[in-house]
Amino acid sequence: MSDSRIPSFRRGVKFRFDAVRDAWIVLAPERLFVPDEHAAEVLKLVDGARTLSGIADDLCARFDAPRDVVLTDVAAMLDDLAERGVVAW
Amino acid sequence: MVAPPDPPMSLLLELTHRCPLQCPYCSNPLKLERAADELSTADWLSVLDQAAALGVLQVHFSGGEPMARADLPDLVRHAAKLGLYTNLITSAVLLNERTLGALAESGLDHVQISFQGSDAAGADRIGNYAGGHAKKLAAAALVRASGLALTLNFVVHRHNIARVPDMIAMGEAFGAGRIEIANVQYYGWGLLNRAALLPTRAALDECTDTVLSARARLRGRMLIDYVVPDYYAAEPKGCMGGWARRFINISPAGRALPCHAAETLPGFDWPDVRTHSLADIWYASEPFVRYRGTGWMPEPCRSCDRREQDWGGCRCQAFALTGDASRTDPACHLSPDHAMMAEAAQAASAPAPPFAYRRIGQRGV
Ligand code: SF4
Ligand code: SF4
């Protein structure tokens, strides 16, 4: 299974570490949320160059999880974030 | 012992109440502050420093018209350097290539342009500013060309609610990432003009259908945020995410408020950012603590399982309608005052009275 779609942050969306809360934060116009740990690990790999498959490979290598499951999970998570205006394909 | 609150998320700076427009629903207080009373640049810079240290993540530069302040680019640059997400909320009539360029260079993240409608005649009548709509169109095109993220904000009421489809089409035409279809909120000037502005339930229902189907059609391309008037809701909004839970508003003269409408409430000694630290204001000042959480709640909120979702609704609306800020928001169907909402909504079917336009030094009444 492979997926060559490339996610990137939408215009006006920022993803950064906040030292006060000790957490990664997604910042967008009138939107602001703290992604859970899984989502934060995925978002750290969104750079407008890596493909979905590339992101899944990276996560598999680090977290020792079955690749197909990871790919499906990551695709679902990013699709959801795309609907919420955070990332675009 | 009540747990200490989380740090604030957002800060809204009302840099000035000056504005070339005179919208009859303006969210500024009826008693507008004059230029001579505005905070200095140094005061605002200090507020930004303290906000970032406190954990604020997002700063909204608003007004009045924030572009009426010559130091706006300096304030944006400072905020961006502190890592704050910077959002400009503007009428855009002062926005041109030069002023936008200075803001983009300063590190501005996002521009929100308010529109008074989708057609020039109707929009300019609302803002009471000839040629305003054309200026806004030109400004939106400039923002789009600059590569900055753009939101178009449409304020909706009985005179333009039928044109919501055109507003959505405008957002699409500009390639905006996001639009807001925001019904007027009835505080301050909006409340003063309620009979002239509140749409009928039928008009609102049609608007809601339009928004929902456009949302489905534009999913993943353009976000549509939608705000309805409380008058037709069964439950209140979680106003500001709860009193003093996420948000700080600073008035032009430096008074810190838990929401922009809070100055309408009597019996508060609002802390001044020139004499109090933002941390003290957030964690310890009496006005911020007073309605924070659920301890202050009367019935029916106190025993309601929605109390930590909507936090009992809006204190300013409770005061404006019942004269008591600590009552359940009348927008709630469980409130003993809820019938007031339906009574007020009857005016929506009567002929609209003229507007009381927003003016400095005049209450419009
Ligand atoms: S609502 Fe209208 S009058 Fe009030 S600040 Fe915005 S543009 Fe100016
Ligand atoms: S009773 Fe209070 S807490 Fe319950 S829904 Fe109504 S306003 Fe919200």
Side-chain angles (χ1 to χ4, degrees):
Chain A
M1 225 162 86
S2 88
D3 193 323
S4 59
R5 290 183 297 163
I6 299 178
S8 58
F9 284 102
R10 282 186 61 150
R11 190 196 298 270
V13 177
K14 287 190 161 175
F15 177 59
R16 73 164 173 89
F17 188 74
D18 172 43
V20 173
R21 290 171 186 76
D22 193 24
W24 287 81
I25 315 265
V26 174
L27 292 162
E30 304 293 331
R31 274 177 177 64
L32 189 163
F33 60 90
V34 183
D36 66 31
E37 256 169 71
H38 289 284
E41 286 306 322
V42 173
L43 289 174
K44 281 187 220 170
L45 299 171
V46 169
D47 58 6
R50 269 200 195 80
T51 62
L52 193 54
S53 294
I55 292 173
D57 289 340
D58 189 296
L59 293 168
C60 287
R62 286 191 290 141
F63 296 104
D64 191 28
R67 190 171 176 287
D68 280 4
V69 176
V70 171
L71 190 64
T72 314
D73 282 359
V74 172
M77 175 186 299
L78 288 172
D79 274 330
D80 176 53
L81 287 168
E83 266 193 32
R84 293 159 73 187
V86 174
V87 298
W89 294 106
Chain B
M1 217 15 232
V2 183
D6 290 335
M9 301 262 195
S10 304
L11 178 70
L12 187 140
L13 307 182
E14 286 176 8
L15 295 179
T16 177
H17 280 160
R18 288 172 283 147
C19 182
L21 278 72
Q22 300 181 351
C23 308
Y25 48 69
C26 183
S27 65
N28 291 158
L30 295 179
K31 190 176 165 297
L32 296 164
E33 282 164 15
R34 291 161 194 281
D37 298 326
E38 291 173 10
L39 291 187
S40 70
T41 305
D43 292 331
W44 286 121
L45 293 175
S46 161
V47 166
L48 289 168
D49 284 332
Q50 295 180 57
L54 197 55
V56 165
L57 298 166
Q58 208 171 30
V59 54
H60 305 282
F61 294 95
S62 183
E65 173 46 62
M67 296 186 76
R69 287 274 304 210
D71 56 0
L72 179 64
D74 301 325
L75 302 180
V76 170
R77 185 175 306 110
H78 195 73
K81 251 193 230 147
L82 291 165
L84 295 166
Y85 188 95
T86 53
N87 179 24
L88 174 66
I89 299 177
T90 179
S91 72
V93 298
L94 304 177
L95 195 151
N96 56 39
E97 229 169 313
R98 187 182 55 78
T99 52
L100 178 66
L103 290 167
E105 237 168 68
S106 304
L108 186 65
D109 289 310
H110 177 257
V111 181
Q112 171 169 318
I113 299 181
S114 66
F115 279 87
Q116 280 67 27
S118 57
D119 68 302
D124 290 350
R125 186 171 83 89
I126 297 293
N128 204 19
Y129 182 83
H133 189 71
K135 285 188 179 170
K136 287 159 184 273
L137 292 175
L142 281 175
V143 172
R144 195 61 179 92
S146 76
L148 284 172
L150 171 66
T151 290
L152 306 187
N153 158 277
F154 294 92
V155 182
V156 173
H157 41 74
R158 69 190 271 178
H159 301 280
N160 66 7
I161 193 163
R163 292 185 186 255
V164 165
D166 298 341
M167 300 174 191
I168 295 168
M170 266 175 74
E172 287 183 74
F174 275 112
R178 176 173 163 270
I179 64 171
E180 287 182 357
I181 302 292
N183 273 274
V184 169
Q185 297 300 300
Y186 294 95
Y187 316 108
W189 294 93
L191 186 59
L192 187 64
N193 283 293
R194 188 177 64 193
L197 293 169
L198 187 67
T200 60
R201 147 102 44 191
L204 179 73
D205 287 347
E206 198 181 324
C207 170
T208 302
D209 288 346
T210 304
V211 168
L212 294 183
S213 65
R215 253 192 202 158
R217 181 170 60 82
L218 297 166
R219 178 161 296 152
R221 281 189 285 148
M222 186 172 86
L223 284 172
I224 307 180
D225 281 347
Y226 182 48
V227 182
V228 300
D230 284 332
Y231 287 78
Y232 299 118
E235 272 133 10
K237 291 186 302 295
C239 188
M240 313 316 294
W243 179 273
R245 297 184 61 82
R246 303 171 64 93
F247 183 88
I248 306 177
N249 186 99
I250 316 275
S251 80
R255 276 185 294 282
L257 310 164
C259 99
H260 59 263
E263 264 189 303
T264 57
L265 301 175
F268 280 91
D269 184 12
W270 301 111
D272 185 325
V273 294
R274 284 169 297 193
T275 50
H276 296 69
S277 77
L278 216 50
D280 266 1
I281 289 170
W282 182 253
Y283 289 109
S285 74
E286 190 280 330
F288 277 64
V289 171
R290 193 185 299 188
Y291 296 126
R292 185 180 269 149
T294 56
W296 60 273
M297 284 181 175
E299 293 293 356
C301 296
R302 186 194 294 270
S303 53
C304 177
D305 55 13
R306 278 183 51 86
R307 67 184 178 277
E308 294 202 349
Q309 282 153 50
D310 63 34
W311 305 100
C314 172
R315 298 303 88 227
C316 304
Q317 182 149 279
F319 172 74
L321 298 182
T322 75
D324 178 356
S326 61
R327 284 176 82 79
T328 295
D329 187 335
C332 180
H333 69 290
L334 299 173
S335 153
D337 307 308
H338 186 59
M340 304 177 78
M341 305 305 272
E343 279 161 31
Q346 283 175 0
S349 309
F355 297 137
Y357 283 113
R358 167 213 203 266
R359 286 187 184 119
I360 288 189
Q362 184 195 321
R363 281 176 146 241
V365 275

